[in-house]
Amino acid sequence: MAVESRNSSAVNGVDIYHLPEGCIANVLSLTCPRDASRLSLVASVFRSAAESDAVWDRFLPPDYRDIISRSSNGQDSIVFGSKKELYLYLCDHPFLIDGCTKSFSLEKRSGKKCYMLAAKSLAIVWADTPRYWRWISLPESRFSEVAELLDVCWFDIAGKINTSMLSPDTNYAAYFVFTTKSRTYGFDHQSAEGALRISGHERKSHTVFLDPEAARRHMYQIVPRRVGLLNQMANILRREVNPPLENEAQARYPQQRSDGWLEVELGEFFVKRGQEVELEMSLTEIKEGNWKSGLVVEGIEIRPKED
């Protein structure tokens, strides 16, 4: 429990308890949401100022009104009595924008922008061919449709976002968001390539595994069972011809999300202030040619990377 003491409240001869609330609110608005919330627990003079709209309006993105106006449910669906309530809502409730092709939210710690590109807005090779992919609805998804992989040997997914949509001077990462069906094959021993490229810059790529059990198998050298005799033979030949990847130690593996989906990082990038270029994100496995099935793709999320 916070203990308030007025005996040590003077700073350079100025008693903070005698400062106007607007002055304190202005100081708090120059911090960050996390620090403002912490200071509100220190003294009542901070607590009152930390609730003011003047503080939380500074924590909201400058263009938040424009973003809310693009809500797929209409901007009137996001109305709150205070800016703090609005801020917290945007942190905890991603909402759909731009015809349900994206979702928008804020990172609670910093107020930085977060987007998820829906599977429908991604370039998925063969996505419109029912033999290879199909579009389904899942109650646990924020989007009305997600893409289910039925059977492909050419796995290629890409998305784009303009960096002007993101928060400046921020280190971001892109995450492929997905889940797996009960019968999944083709990814248990096969890596994919995650890559990012900002227009005018070199493409950066690294090894990605989409099988949730891949990390455990690589740690203990577990050889998975394959589906079908041809897959078993192909896997044996592949291990004999191709030695283990040198960079498997730096490979990215799926992690469980709080919303029940899985995610794997595709890469990270820094958004400079005033930068307006296209960021291209991709996930591919087109080298081995083995058949793959069982993934369900929700989208690609772009959010600030935690330190």
Side-chain angles (χ1 to χ4, degrees), residues 68-75 77 95-102:
I68 291 176
S69 72
R70 292 151 50 194
S71 169
S72 299
N73 293 326
Q75 60 182 350
S77 63
F95 67 95
L96 303 184
I97 62 173
D98 299 343
C100 299
T101 60
K102 305 180 187 72

Side-chain angles (χ1 to χ4, degrees), residues 28-48:
L28 292 178
S29 70
L30 299 176
T31 62
C32 67
R34 181 175 58 180
D35 290 343
S37 297
R38 288 175 174 175
L39 286 170
S40 70
L41 302 176
V42 174
S44 58
V45 64
F46 289 128
R47 190 175 309 121
S48 177

Side-chain angles (χ1 to χ4, degrees), residues 127-157:
D128 294 327
T129 305
R131 174 184 173 185
Y132 302 121
W133 291 85
R134 69 173 176 176
W135 295 95
I136 61 174
S137 297
L138 292 180
E140 58 267 32
S141 175
R142 66 186 67 180
F143 301 110
S144 60
E145 287 187 304
V146 292
E148 180 184 359
L149 172 59
L150 298 180
D151 213 14
V152 297
C153 59
W154 188 281
F155 183 78
D156 191 337
I157 298 176

Side-chain angles (χ1 to χ4, degrees), residues 17-277:
Y17 285 92
H18 293 160
L19 291 175
E21 182 177 303
C23 180
I24 296 175
N26 187 57
V27 172
L28 292 178
S29 70
L30 299 176
T31 62
C32 67
R34 181 175 58 180
D35 290 343
S37 297
R38 288 175 174 175
L39 286 170
S40 70
L41 302 176
V42 174
S44 58
V45 64
F46 289 128
R47 190 175 309 121
S48 177
E51 296 292 323
S52 71
D53 280 353
V55 171
W56 291 93
D57 189 63
R58 290 285 294 271
F59 294 154
L60 290 164
D63 58 346
Y64 78 90
R65 292 182 179 85
D66 174 65
I67 296 173
I68 291 176
S69 72
R70 292 151 50 194
S71 169
S72 299
N73 293 326
Q75 60 182 350
D76 293 339
S77 63
I78 306 177
V79 178
F80 290 89
S82 71
K83 294 295 176 63
K84 182 178 180 179
E85 290 177 355
L86 174 60
Y87 178 92
L88 295 176
Y89 178 86
L90 295 179
C91 292
D92 297 331
H93 301 85
F95 67 95
L96 303 184
I97 62 173
D98 299 343
C100 299
T101 60
K102 305 180 187 72
S103 72
F104 173 82
S105 62
L106 297 178
E107 184 197 42
K108 183 174 289 186
R109 181 183 59 171
S110 65
K112 304 287 188 178
K113 299 177 185 177
C114 307
Y115 289 92
M116 185 185 292
L117 308 182
K120 272 289 188 182
S121 69
L122 303 177
I124 303 177
V125 174
W126 303 114
D128 294 327
T129 305
R131 174 184 173 185
Y132 302 121
W133 291 85
R134 69 173 176 176
W135 295 95
I136 61 174
S137 297
L138 292 180
E140 58 267 32
S141 175
R142 66 186 67 180
F143 301 110
S144 60
E145 287 187 304
V146 292
E148 180 184 359
L149 172 59
L150 298 180
D151 213 14
V152 297
C153 59
W154 188 281
F155 183 78
D156 191 337
I157 298 176
K160 293 182 180 181
I161 191 170
N162 195 290
T163 56
S164 63
M165 297 174 60
L166 305 174
S167 299
D169 299 328
T170 303
N171 194 44
Y172 274 90
Y175 300 86
F176 179 67
V177 182
F178 68 104
T179 189
T180 57
K181 305 287 284 186
S182 57
R183 185 175 182 271
T184 302
Y185 60 84
F187 296 102
D188 46 6
H189 194 70
Q190 180 59 54
S191 65
E193 181 186 70
L196 296 184
R197 180 180 178 274
I198 292 180
S199 299
H201 293 75
E202 183 181 357
R203 178 176 179 271
K204 296 182 179 180
S205 63
H206 55 260
T207 300
V208 168
F209 285 92
L210 297 176
D211 180 8
E213 294 296 316
R216 185 178 67 88
R217 276 203 307 275
H218 290 165
M219 181 181 297
Y220 297 106
Q221 297 297 306
I222 299 173
V223 179
R225 294 180 61 187
R226 307 296 292 183
V227 178
L229 179 60
L230 291 178
N231 266 338
Q232 292 181 28
M233 295 175 62
N235 194 42
I236 292 172
L237 291 173
R238 189 177 298 116
R239 289 199 299 269
E240 291 179 351
V241 174
N242 300 323
L245 296 170
E246 293 182 1
N247 60 341
E248 277 192 5
Q250 288 78 43
R252 312 292 170 86
Y253 297 95
Q255 302 292 326
Q256 191 76 44
R257 292 165 53 95
S258 60
D259 59 8
W261 291 79
L262 297 169
E263 68 177 20
V264 64
E265 184 184 323
L266 300 179
E268 62 181 278
F269 57 98
F270 186 80
V271 177
K272 299 177 182 178
R273 184 170 296 276
Q275 187 179 44
E276 295 186 16
V277 294

